[in-house]
Amino acid sequence: MKIAVVGGTGLCDWPDMQWLGKQGVQTRFGEPSAELHTGMLNGVEFVFLPRHGGAHSIAPHRINYRANIAALQQVGVTHILAVNAVGGLTEALGPGAMAVPAQIVDYSWGRECSFADGEAGPLDHVDFSEPYSAPLRQQLLASAAALGYWCFDGGVYACTQGPRLETAAEIRRLQADGCHLVGMTAMPEAVLARELGIDYASLCLVVNWGAGMTREPITMDEIGRVLSSGMSRVCHLLGHTIGSLAQTSAPVT
């Protein structure tokens, strides 16, 4: 087992993290968003990839998702823990809440979304009925429980195009479609991992209400404040999950 975390640049500030180095990787789809960071937490090594680049400068619709996932496969990654900052669409999922979604509705468009399209690789139709790895989801939820963190189990992630936020009418549509969370980066990241046989699950941090759900406008300052206050819980939960996964994959002597 080799674990990777894919997320925002704020994760580089993990408490108690020992960064061991960086590795540039070239794929047949180009370069990934950034060099792959190797970190060690509680004696467990893992790979970290900032999907928006080291300076958080790559918009969601311009991320080279195929290069990112291909690079992780090339260095032997078998499990990906994705971190996503999202908007909340239900009363239970206000700013600061964490969730481990179970389903995805993809509203994005124009992104290179497959290794199996008959050009990048042989044409194939992967089963995507359950877009997230059930064992990996359960490990995230078990870690949250062990740490005493409330974490929403399940829900539907709506992946929009970005980089703009949604209109109030679009949010009402997503709610009518049965979505609980809205973000911009779950797809095609999740399906590319599925095509390469990499287990994939998402830990979402809700950073704002969906547009029109409150009278207050959505501001980047407020989103930044929620990110800053919630990222420590995200880091602790990921650290616990990485340690638990490493223990379950350790050989019995």
Side-chain angles (χ1 to χ4, degrees):
M1 178 182 292
K2 187 169 184 177
I3 303 164
V5 173
V6 179
T9 53
L11 289 174
C12 290
D13 299 325
W14 283 21
D16 304 319
M17 177 60 62
Q18 179 184 1
W19 294 109
L20 304 179
K22 302 178 183 180
Q23 177 183 359
V25 179
Q26 183 65 237
T27 79
R28 65 191 181 99
F29 304 101
E31 295 182 352
S33 295
E35 294 176 308
L36 305 184
H37 299 58
T38 300
M40 178 174 287
L41 191 63
N42 300 325
V44 180
E45 282 193 21
F46 68 100
V47 175
F48 170 60
L49 173 60
R51 67 163 68 85
H52 293 283
H56 202 87
S57 59
I58 307 174
H61 66 299
R62 294 191 179 277
I63 293 170
N64 189 338
Y65 292 96
R66 293 197 297 184
N68 284 355
I69 301 302
L72 294 176
Q73 185 201 42
Q74 284 179 205
V75 299
V77 166
T78 58
H79 293 70
I80 295 175
L81 299 171
V83 178
N84 304 93
V86 299
L89 305 182
T90 68
E91 185 176 340
L93 292 170
M98 293 191 296
V100 178
Q103 280 292 332
I104 298 172
V105 178
D106 187 9
Y107 300 92
S108 68
W109 52 271
R111 304 179 182 190
E112 294 289 355
C113 60
S114 181
F115 297 115
D117 59 3
E119 295 182 1
L123 179 62
D124 193 13
H125 306 281
V126 296
D127 177 22
F128 205 50
S129 304
E130 303 296 331
Y132 298 108
S133 162
L136 211 49
R137 287 190 66 256
Q138 291 306 312
Q139 188 58 68
L140 282 166
L141 293 166
S143 290
L147 293 170
Y149 294 153
W150 183 84
C151 191
F152 188 81
D153 178 3
V156 179
Y157 181 123
C159 185
T160 57
Q161 180 73 349
R164 67 168 177 87
L165 300 179
E166 299 73 33
T167 68
E170 287 169 334
I171 291 299
R172 290 193 294 271
R173 175 198 175 190
L174 300 183
Q175 291 170 322
D177 285 350
C179 299
H180 302 81
L181 306 159
V182 58
M184 304 173 188
T185 53
M187 290 292 288
E189 199 173 88
V191 72
L192 292 170
R194 174 62 54 84
E195 288 182 348
L196 296 186
I198 300 173
D199 281 9
Y200 182 98
S202 169
L203 173 62
C204 293
L205 175 66
V206 179
V207 296
N208 61 276
W209 291 109
M213 293 180 65
T214 66
R215 294 182 178 180
E216 293 77 21
I218 301 171
T219 68
M220 293 302 104
D221 285 344
E222 181 62 16
I223 287 176
R225 185 191 68 78
V226 178
L227 269 172
S228 179
S229 63
M231 198 52 65
S232 62
R233 286 179 294 127
V234 169
C235 290
H236 287 143
L237 201 162
L238 289 172
H240 191 283
T241 303
I242 290 169
S244 297
L245 288 170
Q247 288 181 356
T248 59
S249 67
V252 178
T253 58

